Amino acid sequence: MIDLRPYRSLGGANHGWLDAKHHFSFANYHDPARTNWGNLRVWNDDTIAPQSGFPPHPHRDMEIITYVREGAITHRDNLGNIGRTEAGDVQVMSAGTGITHSEYNMEEVTTKIFQIWIMPTRTGEKPGWGARPFPKGERSGQFVVLASGFADDTDALSIRTDARVVGATLKAGETAEYPIGKNRRAYLVPATGSVDIDGVRVNARDGAAIRDEDVIRVTAIEDSELVLVDAA
């Protein structure tokens, strides 16, 4: 089953410095049919103006993954972590028992991110933060694990939940497969381009909520950059 959620149907708000679109209920946007997808709780499509961003604020008991699509985001937190994550790269913040952080676009250009929140399987642990580059060449024509709660995914950033965040870059006409299993759910969003999934066209920044599939087969209609969450 594929539930297509076109970009134009998403909730959101434009705050001037921040133009935010919400795939799931968030802040002042509430849709009882879109509160979560398994343990995936939030998928925000954020456009952040230059020299602006989210001032310090707290979180707890949430795994927060930031996928940078354009520009760069600069992170600071009360643990002393400081980092700049560029386009195509990923950062993970495990809020754990509590963390206060800020996220700023310190660049001279607009920054665009996917902000993904996944409910943790493990709670009561110390907070943490990490980031790493994921060269797009490694994702060419195939899905690569970017963040994972599974010990076997040794090359991925660690998250404290039964989920994976994966990415792929496909040339027009290329097909990539991801084995999901019928007891799990997936949520796929093209950052750029458009793809076909079992006859359903998914355009850039649309969401595709997928379940009851053993294998997800994605064919690029045009050159595409994809992000997918494999959720419990």
Side-chain angles (χ1 to χ4, degrees), residues 105-223:
N105 173 16
M106 305 301 293
E107 314 303 312
E108 299 300 325
V109 297
T110 298
T111 286
K112 298 179 180 180
I113 64 173
F114 288 148
Q115 188 181 142
I116 297 164
W117 296 14
I118 307 175
M119 293 178 282
T121 304
R122 308 194 319 262
T123 58
E125 298 184 12
K126 293 180 179 179
W129 175 86
R132 61 159 291 187
F134 288 91
K136 290 188 179 181
E138 296 178 2
R139 290 175 265 165
S140 179
Q142 63 179 344
F143 284 103
V144 170
V145 182
L146 308 175
S148 173
F150 300 97
D152 291 346
D153 295 323
T154 55
D155 293 333
L157 288 162
S158 178
I159 51 178
R160 301 166 184 171
T161 187
D162 181 3
R164 289 184 177 92
V165 180
V166 303
T169 57
L170 301 180
K171 296 291 186 183
E174 284 188 323
T175 298
E177 296 185 351
Y178 182 82
I180 184 69
K182 288 190 176 181
N183 63 333
R184 297 182 66 82
R185 300 181 182 214
Y187 199 84
L188 181 147
V189 181
T192 61
S194 60
V195 299
D196 177 275
I197 309 173
D198 290 339
V200 177
R201 180 177 178 131
V202 186
N203 293 318
R205 302 164 78 184
D206 291 350
I210 305 165
R211 67 180 183 187
D212 301 326
E213 298 283 348
D214 285 323
V215 177
I216 299 169
R217 293 179 179 84
V218 183
T219 300
I221 298 169
E222 54 191 350
D223 292 358

Side-chain angles (χ1 to χ4, degrees), residues 7 36 39 62 80 87 90 93 106 110 138-139 147 154 212 220 227:
Y7 177 77
N36 64 289
N39 57 353
M62 192 64 69
V90 179
M93 187 175 73
M106 305 301 293
T110 298
E138 296 178 2
R139 290 175 265 165
T154 55
D212 301 326
V227 183

Side-chain angles (χ1 to χ4, degrees), residues 33-54:
R34 296 185 182 181
T35 56
N36 64 289
W37 189 246
N39 57 353
L40 173 60
R41 174 62 188 85
V42 169
W43 192 309
N44 288 346
D45 181 327
D46 292 339
T47 299
I48 307 167
Q51 303 298 317
S52 65
F54 302 92

